[in-house]
Amino acid sequence: MEQLSEEEVKLYFYENRLKTFEGWPFDEDCTCTPENMAKAGFIHTPSENSPDIAMCFFCLKELEGWEPEDDPLKEHKSHSPSCQFIALKKTVEELTVEEFFKLQKERHKLMMNKSCNEAINKFEEAAKMRRGDIIKTAMGEE
């Protein structure tokens, strides 16, 4: 069995998720503070156009367009009701090794599904463009 890297494990811990919220546009007077976001399993994954993108480190659900009154836990549960991380009844520190590995196995499945879906979408886009090129060539257009 392959060893777990520190990178794979560190986001299970609140403090490490919280560190990702540097530059988060919402603070003290909001419900979606960095602390609440991290408690709900989110990490901050901003882009140039969207400074408020947050993704669950576990189920990989990305959410943006946050409003100050949005409750991160409620939003997470409504957009990703099957996320096993937010369904935990224990803290990560209280998990047995067996429970942790079971969770990690589910996380790997989600990561692989996301990766495969992205590859399929890229392939389908390339195929669509190639098909268009072939049709143009066949019709004598250039």
PDB file of all heavy atoms in Angstrom, residues 109-132:
ATOM      1  N   LYS A 109     -11.466   8.329  -4.550  1.00  0.00           N
ATOM      2  CA  LYS A 109     -12.462   8.050  -5.593  1.00  0.00           C
ATOM      3  C   LYS A 109     -12.989   9.348  -6.192  1.00  0.00           C
ATOM      4  O   LYS A 109     -13.110   9.479  -7.405  1.00  0.00           O
ATOM      5  CB  LYS A 109     -13.654   7.258  -5.011  1.00  0.00           C
ATOM      6  CG  LYS A 109     -13.409   5.799  -4.804  1.00  0.00           C
ATOM      7  CD  LYS A 109     -14.732   5.182  -4.324  1.00  0.00           C
ATOM      8  CE  LYS A 109     -14.558   3.862  -3.671  1.00  0.00           C
ATOM      9  NZ  LYS A 109     -15.818   3.355  -3.124  1.00  0.00           N
ATOM     10  N   LEU A 110     -13.303  10.324  -5.329  1.00  0.00           N
ATOM     11  CA  LEU A 110     -13.811  11.617  -5.795  1.00  0.00           C
ATOM     12  C   LEU A 110     -12.771  12.342  -6.644  1.00  0.00           C
ATOM     13  O   LEU A 110     -13.091  12.924  -7.679  1.00  0.00           O
ATOM     14  CB  LEU A 110     -14.222  12.483  -4.598  1.00  0.00           C
ATOM     15  CG  LEU A 110     -15.438  11.989  -3.816  1.00  0.00           C
ATOM     16  CD1 LEU A 110     -15.548  12.711  -2.480  1.00  0.00           C
ATOM     17  CD2 LEU A 110     -16.708  12.158  -4.625  1.00  0.00           C
ATOM     18  N   MET A 111     -11.523  12.293  -6.211  1.00  0.00           N
ATOM     19  CA  MET A 111     -10.452  12.949  -6.960  1.00  0.00           C
ATOM     20  C   MET A 111     -10.270  12.301  -8.334  1.00  0.00           C
ATOM     21  O   MET A 111     -10.096  12.987  -9.336  1.00  0.00           O
ATOM     22  CB  MET A 111      -9.142  12.901  -6.162  1.00  0.00           C
ATOM     23  CG  MET A 111      -9.174  13.780  -4.918  1.00  0.00           C
ATOM     24  SD  MET A 111      -7.830  13.477  -3.751  1.00  0.00           S
ATOM     25  CE  MET A 111      -6.441  14.086  -4.666  1.00  0.00           C
ATOM     26  N   MET A 112     -10.339  10.978  -8.379  1.00  0.00           N
ATOM     27  CA  MET A 112     -10.188  10.272  -9.649  1.00  0.00           C
ATOM     28  C   MET A 112     -11.373  10.562 -10.574  1.00  0.00           C
ATOM     29  O   MET A 112     -11.187  10.782 -11.769  1.00  0.00           O
ATOM     30  CB  MET A 112     -10.027   8.770  -9.408  1.00  0.00           C
ATOM     31  CG  MET A 112      -8.675   8.428  -8.804  1.00  0.00           C
ATOM     32  SD  MET A 112      -8.509   6.680  -8.426  1.00  0.00           S
ATOM     33  CE  MET A 112      -8.304   6.019 -10.058  1.00  0.00           C
ATOM     34  N   ASN A 113     -12.570  10.578 -10.024  1.00  0.00           N
ATOM     35  CA  ASN A 113     -13.752  10.901 -10.833  1.00  0.00           C
ATOM     36  C   ASN A 113     -13.646  12.288 -11.429  1.00  0.00           C
ATOM     37  O   ASN A 113     -13.931  12.496 -12.605  1.00  0.00           O
ATOM     38  CB  ASN A 113     -15.035  10.804  -9.994  1.00  0.00           C
ATOM     39  CG  ASN A 113     -15.533   9.387  -9.856  1.00  0.00           C
ATOM     40  OD1 ASN A 113     -15.177   8.521 -10.634  1.00  0.00           O
ATOM     41  ND2 ASN A 113     -16.346   9.148  -8.851  1.00  0.00           N
ATOM     42  N   LYS A 114     -13.224  13.259 -10.616  1.00  0.00           N
ATOM     43  CA  LYS A 114     -13.094  14.630 -11.105  1.00  0.00           C
ATOM     44  C   LYS A 114     -12.049  14.696 -12.219  1.00  0.00           C
ATOM     45  O   LYS A 114     -12.280  15.292 -13.265  1.00  0.00           O
ATOM     46  CB  LYS A 114     -12.713  15.578  -9.967  1.00  0.00           C
ATOM     47  CG  LYS A 114     -12.616  17.030 -10.427  1.00  0.00           C
ATOM     48  CD  LYS A 114     -12.322  17.980  -9.291  1.00  0.00           C
ATOM     49  CE  LYS A 114     -12.320  19.409  -9.826  1.00  0.00           C
ATOM     50  NZ  LYS A 114     -12.114  20.394  -8.809  1.00  0.00           N
ATOM     51  N   SER A 115     -10.932  14.043 -12.007  1.00  0.00           N
ATOM     52  CA  SER A 115      -9.850  14.035 -12.997  1.00  0.00           C
ATOM     53  C   SER A 115     -10.311  13.381 -14.306  1.00  0.00           C
ATOM     54  O   SER A 115     -10.058  13.903 -15.401  1.00  0.00           O
ATOM     55  CB  SER A 115      -8.647  13.301 -12.411  1.00  0.00           C
ATOM     56  OG  SER A 115      -7.623  13.219 -13.340  1.00  0.00           O
ATOM     57  N   CYS A 116     -10.990  12.254 -14.195  1.00  0.00           N
ATOM     58  CA  CYS A 116     -11.486  11.557 -15.393  1.00  0.00           C
ATOM     59  C   CYS A 116     -12.531  12.393 -16.132  1.00  0.00           C
ATOM     60  O   CYS A 116     -12.502  12.482 -17.356  1.00  0.00           O
ATOM     61  CB  CYS A 116     -12.065  10.191 -15.020  1.00  0.00           C
ATOM     62  SG  CYS A 116     -10.808   8.998 -14.547  1.00  0.00           S
ATOM     63  N   ASN A 117     -13.433  13.014 -15.380  1.00  0.00           N
ATOM     64  CA  ASN A 117     -14.458  13.856 -16.014  1.00  0.00           C
ATOM     65  C   ASN A 117     -13.841  15.044 -16.730  1.00  0.00           C
ATOM     66  O   ASN A 117     -14.288  15.410 -17.821  1.00  0.00           O
ATOM     67  CB  ASN A 117     -15.493  14.313 -14.986  1.00  0.00           C
ATOM     68  CG  ASN A 117     -16.418  13.183 -14.570  1.00  0.00           C
ATOM     69  OD1 ASN A 117     -16.603  12.212 -15.300  1.00  0.00           O
ATOM     70  ND2 ASN A 117     -16.973  13.300 -13.387  1.00  0.00           N
ATOM     71  N   GLU A 118     -12.812  15.640 -16.128  1.00  0.00           N
ATOM     72  CA  GLU A 118     -12.125  16.749 -16.792  1.00  0.00           C
ATOM     73  C   GLU A 118     -11.463  16.280 -18.087  1.00  0.00           C
ATOM     74  O   GLU A 118     -11.519  16.965 -19.102  1.00  0.00           O
ATOM     75  CB  GLU A 118     -11.084  17.377 -15.854  1.00  0.00           C
ATOM     76  CG  GLU A 118     -11.716  18.205 -14.758  1.00  0.00           C
ATOM     77  CD  GLU A 118     -10.721  18.664 -13.687  1.00  0.00           C
ATOM     78  OE1 GLU A 118      -9.531  18.267 -13.736  1.00  0.00           O
ATOM     79  OE2 GLU A 118     -11.146  19.412 -12.795  1.00  0.00           O
ATOM     80  N   ALA A 119     -10.832  15.095 -18.054  1.00  0.00           N
ATOM     81  CA  ALA A 119     -10.180  14.559 -19.250  1.00  0.00           C
ATOM     82  C   ALA A 119     -11.207  14.252 -20.335  1.00  0.00           C
ATOM     83  O   ALA A 119     -10.980  14.532 -21.521  1.00  0.00           O
ATOM     84  CB  ALA A 119      -9.382  13.300 -18.896  1.00  0.00           C
ATOM     85  N   ILE A 120     -12.340  13.700 -19.945  1.00  0.00           N
ATOM     86  CA  ILE A 120     -13.406  13.396 -20.907  1.00  0.00           C
ATOM     87  C   ILE A 120     -13.923  14.684 -21.543  1.00  0.00           C
ATOM     88  O   ILE A 120     -14.110  14.759 -22.753  1.00  0.00           O
ATOM     89  CB  ILE A 120     -14.548  12.607 -20.220  1.00  0.00           C
ATOM     90  CG1 ILE A 120     -14.081  11.178 -19.914  1.00  0.00           C
ATOM     91  CG2 ILE A 120     -15.810  12.596 -21.085  1.00  0.00           C
ATOM     92  CD1 ILE A 120     -15.010  10.405 -18.988  1.00  0.00           C
ATOM     93  N   ASN A 121     -14.144  15.708 -20.726  1.00  0.00           N
ATOM     94  CA  ASN A 121     -14.628  16.989 -21.255  1.00  0.00           C
ATOM     95  C   ASN A 121     -13.636  17.607 -22.222  1.00  0.00           C
ATOM     96  O   ASN A 121     -14.030  18.118 -23.276  1.00  0.00           O
ATOM     97  CB  ASN A 121     -14.939  17.964 -20.114  1.00  0.00           C
ATOM     98  CG  ASN A 121     -16.176  17.559 -19.341  1.00  0.00           C
ATOM     99  OD1 ASN A 121     -17.030  16.819 -19.843  1.00  0.00           O
ATOM    100  ND2 ASN A 121     -16.281  18.020 -18.115  1.00  0.00           N
ATOM    101  N   LYS A 122     -12.340  17.552 -21.889  1.00  0.00           N
ATOM    102  CA  LYS A 122     -11.308  18.080 -22.788  1.00  0.00           C
ATOM    103  C   LYS A 122     -11.313  17.316 -24.109  1.00  0.00           C
ATOM    104  O   LYS A 122     -11.218  17.895 -25.185  1.00  0.00           O
ATOM    105  CB  LYS A 122      -9.918  17.956 -22.156  1.00  0.00           C
ATOM    106  CG  LYS A 122      -9.546  19.087 -21.264  1.00  0.00           C
ATOM    107  CD  LYS A 122      -8.102  18.914 -20.803  1.00  0.00           C
ATOM    108  CE  LYS A 122      -7.728  19.985 -19.808  1.00  0.00           C
ATOM    109  NZ  LYS A 122      -6.379  19.773 -19.248  1.00  0.00           N
ATOM    110  N   PHE A 123     -11.426  15.990 -24.018  1.00  0.00           N
ATOM    111  CA  PHE A 123     -11.443  15.153 -25.214  1.00  0.00           C
ATOM    112  C   PHE A 123     -12.659  15.489 -26.077  1.00  0.00           C
ATOM    113  O   PHE A 123     -12.556  15.627 -27.295  1.00  0.00           O
ATOM    114  CB  PHE A 123     -11.459  13.671 -24.832  1.00  0.00           C
ATOM    115  CG  PHE A 123     -11.553  12.753 -26.016  1.00  0.00           C
ATOM    116  CD1 PHE A 123     -10.421  12.442 -26.753  1.00  0.00           C
ATOM    117  CD2 PHE A 123     -12.780  12.230 -26.415  1.00  0.00           C
ATOM    118  CE1 PHE A 123     -10.503  11.603 -27.865  1.00  0.00           C
ATOM    119  CE2 PHE A 123     -12.871  11.408 -27.526  1.00  0.00           C
ATOM    120  CZ  PHE A 123     -11.724  11.087 -28.245  1.00  0.00           C
ATOM    121  N   GLU A 124     -13.822  15.610 -25.442  1.00  0.00           N
ATOM    122  CA  GLU A 124     -15.051  15.916 -26.190  1.00  0.00           C
ATOM    123  C   GLU A 124     -14.961  17.277 -26.869  1.00  0.00           C
ATOM    124  O   GLU A 124     -15.422  17.436 -27.994  1.00  0.00           O
ATOM    125  CB  GLU A 124     -16.272  15.821 -25.274  1.00  0.00           C
ATOM    126  CG  GLU A 124     -16.619  14.383 -24.928  1.00  0.00           C
ATOM    127  CD  GLU A 124     -17.728  14.240 -23.899  1.00  0.00           C
ATOM    128  OE1 GLU A 124     -18.078  15.238 -23.222  1.00  0.00           O
ATOM    129  OE2 GLU A 124     -18.239  13.113 -23.766  1.00  0.00           O
ATOM    130  N   GLU A 125     -14.376  18.270 -26.191  1.00  0.00           N
ATOM    131  CA  GLU A 125     -14.191  19.596 -26.791  1.00  0.00           C
ATOM    132  C   GLU A 125     -13.259  19.515 -27.999  1.00  0.00           C
ATOM    133  O   GLU A 125     -13.532  20.093 -29.045  1.00  0.00           O
ATOM    134  CB  GLU A 125     -13.607  20.579 -25.773  1.00  0.00           C
ATOM    135  CG  GLU A 125     -14.636  21.270 -24.928  1.00  0.00           C
ATOM    136  CD  GLU A 125     -15.689  22.021 -25.736  1.00  0.00           C
ATOM    137  OE1 GLU A 125     -15.340  22.851 -26.602  1.00  0.00           O
ATOM    138  OE2 GLU A 125     -16.887  21.765 -25.506  1.00  0.00           O
ATOM    139  N   ALA A 126     -12.145  18.785 -27.835  1.00  0.00           N
ATOM    140  CA  ALA A 126     -11.186  18.632 -28.941  1.00  0.00           C
ATOM    141  C   ALA A 126     -11.834  17.894 -30.105  1.00  0.00           C
ATOM    142  O   ALA A 126     -11.628  18.255 -31.271  1.00  0.00           O
ATOM    143  CB  ALA A 126      -9.942  17.892 -28.455  1.00  0.00           C
ATOM    144  N   ALA A 127     -12.634  16.881 -29.801  1.00  0.00           N
ATOM    145  CA  ALA A 127     -13.311  16.121 -30.854  1.00  0.00           C
ATOM    146  C   ALA A 127     -14.308  17.001 -31.599  1.00  0.00           C
ATOM    147  O   ALA A 127     -14.422  16.925 -32.833  1.00  0.00           O
ATOM    148  CB  ALA A 127     -14.014  14.901 -30.245  1.00  0.00           C
ATOM    149  N   LYS A 128     -15.014  17.850 -30.869  1.00  0.00           N
ATOM    150  CA  LYS A 128     -15.978  18.769 -31.483  1.00  0.00           C
ATOM    151  C   LYS A 128     -15.262  19.725 -32.453  1.00  0.00           C
ATOM    152  O   LYS A 128     -15.724  19.954 -33.569  1.00  0.00           O
ATOM    153  CB  LYS A 128     -16.679  19.567 -30.376  1.00  0.00           C
ATOM    154  CG  LYS A 128     -18.113  19.944 -30.680  1.00  0.00           C
ATOM    155  CD  LYS A 128     -18.716  20.771 -29.542  1.00  0.00           C
ATOM    156  CE  LYS A 128     -19.067  19.893 -28.357  1.00  0.00           C
ATOM    157  NZ  LYS A 128     -19.695  20.671 -27.265  1.00  0.00           N
ATOM    158  N   MET A 129     -14.135  20.257 -31.998  1.00  0.00           N
ATOM    159  CA  MET A 129     -13.382  21.178 -32.846  1.00  0.00           C
ATOM    160  C   MET A 129     -12.831  20.458 -34.080  1.00  0.00           C
ATOM    161  O   MET A 129     -12.893  20.971 -35.193  1.00  0.00           O
ATOM    162  CB  MET A 129     -12.237  21.818 -32.046  1.00  0.00           C
ATOM    163  CG  MET A 129     -12.731  22.835 -31.036  1.00  0.00           C
ATOM    164  SD  MET A 129     -11.429  23.484 -29.979  1.00  0.00           S
ATOM    165  CE  MET A 129     -10.409  24.338 -31.168  1.00  0.00           C
ATOM    166  N   ARG A 130     -12.311  19.259 -33.875  1.00  0.00           N
ATOM    167  CA  ARG A 130     -11.766  18.477 -34.990  1.00  0.00           C
ATOM    168  C   ARG A 130     -12.867  18.146 -35.995  1.00  0.00           C
ATOM    169  O   ARG A 130     -12.662  18.233 -37.194  1.00  0.00           O
ATOM    170  CB  ARG A 130     -11.112  17.194 -34.452  1.00  0.00           C
ATOM    171  CG  ARG A 130     -10.437  16.378 -35.492  1.00  0.00           C
ATOM    172  CD  ARG A 130      -9.139  17.054 -35.929  1.00  0.00           C
ATOM    173  NE  ARG A 130      -8.477  16.214 -36.892  1.00  0.00           N
ATOM    174  CZ  ARG A 130      -8.008  16.643 -38.047  1.00  0.00           C
ATOM    175  NH1 ARG A 130      -8.093  17.911 -38.366  1.00  0.00           N
ATOM    176  NH2 ARG A 130      -7.427  15.814 -38.867  1.00  0.00           N
ATOM    177  N   ARG A 131     -14.016  17.775 -35.489  1.00  0.00           N
ATOM    178  CA  ARG A 131     -15.156  17.462 -36.363  1.00  0.00           C
ATOM    179  C   ARG A 131     -15.512  18.678 -37.217  1.00  0.00           C
ATOM    180  O   ARG A 131     -15.768  18.578 -38.413  1.00  0.00           O
ATOM    181  CB  ARG A 131     -16.351  17.030 -35.520  1.00  0.00           C
ATOM    182  CG  ARG A 131     -17.549  16.568 -36.316  1.00  0.00           C
ATOM    183  CD  ARG A 131     -18.624  16.027 -35.361  1.00  0.00           C
ATOM    184  NE  ARG A 131     -19.586  15.213 -36.039  1.00  0.00           N
ATOM    185  CZ  ARG A 131     -20.644  15.681 -36.695  1.00  0.00           C
ATOM    186  NH1 ARG A 131     -20.868  16.968 -36.761  1.00  0.00           N
ATOM    187  NH2 ARG A 131     -21.496  14.863 -37.285  1.00  0.00           N
ATOM    188  N   GLY A 132     -15.537  19.857 -36.566  1.00  0.00           N
ATOM    189  CA  GLY A 132     -15.819  21.090 -37.294  1.00  0.00           C
ATOM    190  C   GLY A 132     -14.791  21.335 -38.390  1.00  0.00           C
ATOM    191  O   GLY A 132     -15.151  21.723 -39.514  1.00  0.00           O
TER     192      GLY A 132
END
